[in-house]
Amino acid sequence: MNTEELQINWKVGGMTCTNCALSISKYLNKQGLQNVSVNAIDGSVSFNADKATDDKTLKKGIEKLGYQVLDHTRVVKRKLLDTPLQKFLFCLPFTSVLMLHMLPVHIHWLMNGWVQMLICLPVFVLGMMYFGVSAIKSIRGGVPNMNVLIALGAFAAFAYSLAGTVLNLGETYLYFESCATIITLVFLGYWMEDKAIQTTQQSLNLLAANQTPMANMIAFDDQYHENIFPVESRYLKSGDLILIKSGEQVPADCKILSGSGLLNEALLTGESLPVKKNAKDLLIGGSILEDGNIKAQVTAADDDSILSKIIFLAKQAQSEKPKLQQLADRISAIFVPTILLLSLITVLINYFSAVPFGEALMRGIAVLVIACPCAMGLATPAAIAVGLGRGVRNGIIFKDAKNLELFKDIRQVVFDKTGTLTNGKFKIAGYGFENMAEEEFKNICFSMEKISNHPIAKSITQAWRTTNNSIRWKTIEELKGSGIKAIDTSGNVYKLGSSAFTGQNDKHHLSLTKNNASLGWIDIKDDIREEAKDVVDYFEKRGITTYLLSGDKFDKCKTIADELGIKNIYAEQSPQQKMDVVSGLNAKAPTAMIGDGINDAAALAKATIGISLGDASGIVVQHAQLVLIGNGLKKLPFSFSLGKQTFLTIRQNLFWAFIYNVIAIPVAAFGILTPGFAALAMGFSDVVLAANSVRLRWKKLV
């Protein structure tokens, strides 16, 4: 993104199908905007714009297409008959009365065309105000939407009936009940569809609902007396002091200043067991303090919090389109014109086959109404919304929905060792030094390692943190995967790292040298994760080849590989070599790599799917396509299973969408369904699709 560009995120109301999203996307692209993403399910619209972009012009352009950019900073007054349910309930009494003339016992006054027209008129007007206006605006936008079919079908039935009434052509020309039924049942279908689609969003909605709890903010008066007052968490800023009481939700990312407690982080990590937190520990906004009393300092404002970033990444992934959806979108773009042509052909074929024109017209209208581009447009987003939501609920964050379909092709899995197969909680197993005092040796090592974020470096700095002044180096640099090089003010060159880097005895993990002369060594121990064996077995049983890729020595890698059952080992690899190994494996077969995101950035980027492990503070690791927070390695099999099942659900949904239209359109063309039943079937098709997607929320995985 250009540094002068900003990402704009809007919520747009009025979208009912994928063609609505396509028309908005097409308009924004025409305005020269970049990275346009429109999600028909939740109404989110995002794009990149420079500072000169006129927001008001863009909003007016979207409104001319028949949609509305929602402003959350002010309360929008609800209009009369605003929701599909309200519209349905308004239309139902009029439509019910019109349907009475179909009873075996005729109600004579109801057989009058003018009476039927007056009863139908309120329904027709409401329908045209909604479907008709939307249809015209969508045509103007260049992508006709579903409402074009509904509006044209209802208008044709009303106009034909009106002509029959005015010309007094008899009861066989009266189809006012068909017009009213189409409009009424489509409103019902839209309401059912909205309710069904909302269930696909429940996991993300639950996260969003936890974004703005109340906080107990601590402030001091002019006498330095402590005061506590309630404030919405969205108003908290980095540096603010807060009090969190037992049973309360942590209102923002923060660091404990005093107190301790048991934190339930299930909302973000999927782990049900509470975690003990003490002074200096970090707390994730959205977690629950089950027991304890804590004073903390806010470390991230609302927009920069881990919870906000998780929601942003999940919504961003939801708006991405896998290849199958891109195919469905191309079909949806030409669907409405195709159905209009098929409807006209239906009328002509039936009429010239000696079917009365009124009945031929009803068959054509049934074709218009029963066809459903919505099903094709929502097939993928509905499944993705549920799949991503279930992932988020379990601490699994997909950065791109396209990766969901890549899991089915993975044939090789590469594991980093340190912090991935091992728990990353390093301890110093032993050390030795020469020609200096022990404290001097420790101080040199501490002064060098403190610039690094590597887990081994952190273990050394925590163990040997000194109260003495650490050494001030003239220059110091970290060489990823090798070690640290420092030069003191006298020009002496110090190296601390692997034997290949320092040129020393390779029996030890780390060596320290001064001007290439040995000063000492350090050995580190790191235990294998208890779940690592089960995870490796999961892939081996499914015929997926596993690899161990590490910068550590071969004998140490082989010991771990033998214990876990990994037969393929790449040891003593630099970050560049790791990248080359993964690139080579990926060229042979689709490959997933799992690493801790510290020295594995380049290798993760070369994999078909790069998977980063780490705690929640690492959620924005930019080089991975999938981030596992909490006890990440344990979630790896679940991630693979979720990806495959989500893709399977997408295929099922698309099959249903296509087969529904393939069967429904000919059935309507042959007059087996009335326009009213066709409208009901159209709405029901979307409900079936959403219900199949929602099954993913409870489907057994792994």
Side-chain angles (χ1 to χ4, degrees):
M1 187 193 305
N2 189 297
T3 55
E4 295 299 319
E5 288 184 340
L6 301 172
Q7 184 171 55
I8 307 298
N9 297 288
W10 285 343
K11 193 86 168 178
V12 175
M15 284 191 276
T16 59
C17 68
T18 187
N19 281 25
C20 299
L22 288 173
S23 62
I24 294 175
S25 180
K26 184 177 180 180
Y27 165 74
L28 293 175
N29 281 316
K30 277 186 176 180
Q31 305 308 307
L33 302 172
Q34 303 296 317
N35 298 326
V36 175
S37 176
V38 184
N39 188 341
I41 284 189
D42 66 359
S44 61
V45 174
S46 66
F47 54 88
N48 292 345
D50 57 39
K51 294 180 180 179
T53 301
D54 187 352
D55 285 4
K56 292 182 179 179
T57 301
L58 294 177
K59 289 178 180 179
K60 285 181 180 179
I62 290 176
E63 287 174 2
K64 286 181 180 179
L65 295 176
Y67 313 102
Q68 182 183 11
V69 178
L70 304 177
D71 185 354
H72 295 291
T73 62
R74 58 186 175 87
V75 178
V76 179
K77 189 176 181 180
R78 304 289 291 186
K79 298 178 182 177
L80 184 65
L81 303 179
D82 194 43
T83 67
L85 180 60
Q86 291 171 347
K87 292 181 173 72
F88 166 72
L89 294 175
F90 173 82
C91 296
L92 183 60
F94 298 101
T95 303
S96 299
V97 172
L98 282 172
M99 297 296 289
L100 291 176
H101 88 280
M102 301 177 67
L103 296 174
V105 179
H106 283 192
I107 302 173
H108 294 291
W109 61 269
L110 196 55
M111 306 309 295
N112 186 296
W114 292 104
V115 172
Q116 288 191 28
M117 188 271 289
L118 289 173
I119 297 172
C120 178
L121 192 60
V123 178
F124 177 72
V125 170
L126 181 62
M128 289 303 105
M129 287 175 62
Y130 183 80
F131 301 116
V133 172
S134 173
I136 292 170
K137 289 183 175 181
S138 73
I139 293 171
R140 186 188 303 158
V143 185
N145 63 18
M146 177 69 198
N147 292 333
V148 172
L149 304 179
I150 305 301
L152 189 57
F155 180 82
F158 186 87
Y160 184 76
S161 303
L162 182 61
T165 300
V166 172
L167 299 174
N168 197 25
L169 298 176
E171 297 174 6
T172 57
Y173 280 77
L174 301 182
Y175 291 96
F176 287 114
E177 85 285 346
S178 293
C179 171
T181 302
I182 290 170
I183 293 171
T184 302
L185 292 182
V186 171
F187 280 139
L188 174 63
Y190 277 11
W191 174 71
M192 293 168 61
E193 179 186 317
D194 285 347
K195 298 297 289 183
I197 292 300
Q198 283 175 20
T199 62
T200 69
Q201 294 286 95
Q202 283 186 358
S203 294
L204 286 181
N205 290 341
L206 178 63
L207 283 180
N210 283 276
Q211 274 191 286
T212 54
M214 295 301 293
N216 304 306
M217 188 171 179
I218 302 174
F220 297 89
D221 60 20
D222 55 358
Q223 301 299 316
Y224 300 101
H225 294 148
E226 183 178 275
N227 292 292
I228 299 174
F229 57 93
V231 61
E232 285 190 22
S233 62
R234 59 180 171 172
Y235 296 119
L236 292 174
K237 304 296 181 186
S238 181
D240 286 345
L241 302 179
I242 55 175
L243 171 68
I244 310 168
K245 304 174 185 177
S246 180
E248 290 185 340
Q249 181 176 317
V250 177
D253 294 352
C254 55
K255 184 177 183 179
I256 298 177
L257 298 178
S258 64
S260 63
L262 290 175
L263 273 295
N264 185 334
E265 299 176 340
L267 181 72
L268 298 153
T269 67
E271 300 291 340
S272 57
L273 293 177
V275 181
K276 179 72 172 179
K277 298 282 186 176
N278 299 301
K280 297 184 180 180
D281 285 340
L282 297 175
L283 304 183
I284 307 171
S287 54
I288 304 294
L289 180 61
E290 291 191 348
D291 185 46
N293 200 280
I294 289 172
K295 287 184 180 180
Q297 185 174 40
V298 175
T299 57
D302 185 55
D303 290 344
D304 295 322
S305 70
I306 292 166
L307 180 57
S308 294
K309 288 171 182 174
I310 289 175
I311 294 173
F312 172 76
L313 287 173
K315 288 188 174 183
Q316 186 180 47
Q318 184 176 297
S319 64
E320 296 291 340
K321 295 180 178 180
K323 292 179 181 178
L324 276 178
Q325 180 61 30
Q326 293 170 13
L327 172 63
D329 282 352
R330 286 195 293 270
I331 295 173
S332 296
I334 62 170
F335 189 92
V336 173
T338 302
I339 295 303
L340 291 173
L341 181 60
L342 288 176
S343 176
L344 178 60
I345 292 172
T346 297
V347 174
L348 294 175
I349 290 177
N350 277 276
Y351 179 70
F352 288 111
S353 299
V355 175
F357 181 75
E359 187 176 338
L361 179 63
M362 289 303 108
R363 293 181 182 184
I365 291 173
V367 169
L368 288 177
V369 174
I370 203 169
C372 189
C374 303
M376 281 184 289
L378 296 175
T380 299
I384 285 176
V386 179
L388 292 176
R390 186 168 180 182
V392 166
R393 210 165 64 237
N394 288 277
I396 300 167
I397 313 300
F398 289 90
K399 290 189 176 182
D400 190 333
K402 297 173 185 175
N403 294 309
L404 284 166
E405 67 177 313
L406 295 177
F407 276 106
K408 65 178 175 46
D409 300 320
I410 295 298
R411 305 312 310 154
Q412 302 177 122
V413 174
V414 179
F415 292 95
D416 172 50
K417 180 180 74 69
T418 304
T420 301
L421 292 175
T422 62
N423 59 29
K425 297 177 181 178
F426 297 98
K427 295 180 181 178
I428 297 175
Y431 60 93
F433 50 91
E434 48 192 296
N435 301 321
M436 65 172 61
E438 180 177 355
E439 286 304 314
E440 183 183 0
F441 172 74
K442 290 181 177 179
N443 190 34
I444 292 172
C445 293
F446 169 79
S447 300
M448 295 178 73
E449 293 285 21
K450 71 178 183 178
I451 72 164
S452 174
N453 279 323
H454 194 282
I456 290 179
K458 288 182 178 179
S459 69
I460 293 173
T461 56
Q462 288 173 2
W464 291 351
R465 187 177 298 278
T466 175
T467 55
N468 299 326
N469 292 328
S470 60
I471 299 171
R472 300 182 113 186
W473 304 103
K474 182 178 180 181
T475 63
I476 185 168
E477 62 176 328
E478 180 179 11
L479 304 173
K480 293 294 184 182
S482 296
I484 296 172
K485 178 181 177 182
I487 301 176
D488 65 16
T489 54
S490 300
N492 297 304
V493 179
Y494 291 80
K495 290 183 179 180
L496 177 60
S498 65
S499 57
F501 177 59
T502 61
Q504 297 300 308
N505 191 321
D506 64 357
K507 292 182 179 180
H508 300 293
H509 283 99
L510 301 175
S511 298
L512 175 65
T513 64
K514 175 182 178 182
N515 299 325
N516 296 322
S518 175
L519 292 181
W521 53 267
I522 304 172
D523 279 342
I524 301 293
K525 66 178 181 179
D526 185 17
D527 297 327
I528 297 176
R529 292 180 185 263
E530 61 181 32
E531 68 270 20
K533 175 64 175 171
D534 291 337
V535 172
V536 172
D537 287 347
Y538 170 86
F539 293 111
E540 291 289 348
K541 287 176 182 177
R542 286 159 178 77
I544 298 174
T545 307
T546 56
Y547 295 82
L548 175 60
L549 177 63
S550 175
D552 208 348
K553 295 177 176 54
F554 180 82
D555 58 340
K556 294 181 174 64
C557 291
K558 190 172 189 314
T559 300
I560 288 178
D562 289 345
E563 186 172 339
L564 298 178
I566 299 176
K567 299 180 180 63
N568 306 284
I569 304 171
Y570 289 92
E572 302 179 41
Q573 301 291 302
S574 67
Q576 176 64 43
Q577 290 172 320
K578 285 185 177 182
M579 182 184 73
D580 293 339
V581 168
V582 174
S583 181
L585 291 173
N586 205 38
K588 297 177 182 178
T591 303
M593 179 180 175
I594 301 92
D596 62 6
I598 296 173
N599 291 326
D600 306 314
L604 287 171
K606 286 294 182 180
T608 305
I609 301 177
I611 303 171
S612 177
L613 302 184
D615 60 19
S617 62
I619 192 63
V620 289
V621 181
Q622 294 301 315
H623 46 263
Q625 290 86 40
L626 174 64
V627 181
L628 306 179
I629 61 178
N631 196 354
L633 188 66
K634 186 170 66 175
K635 299 171 183 176
L636 192 55
F638 186 91
S639 304
F640 268 68
S641 183
L642 178 62
K644 289 184 176 181
Q645 289 299 323
T646 302
F647 183 73
L648 177 62
T649 303
I650 291 171
R651 293 182 64 177
Q652 291 170 342
N653 285 352
L654 286 172
F655 174 79
W656 164 256
F658 282 110
I659 204 68
Y660 162 81
N661 283 296
V662 167
I663 294 174
I665 292 172
V667 165
F670 283 108
I672 298 174
L673 290 177
T674 65
F677 279 111
L680 189 61
M682 185 274 294
F684 183 69
S685 69
D686 290 345
V687 175
V688 170
L689 181 149
N692 185 55
S693 300
V694 170
R695 286 194 312 127
L696 258 178
R697 293 180 62 197
W698 302 284
K699 195 169 186 178
K700 185 177 179 180
L701 301 177
V702 186

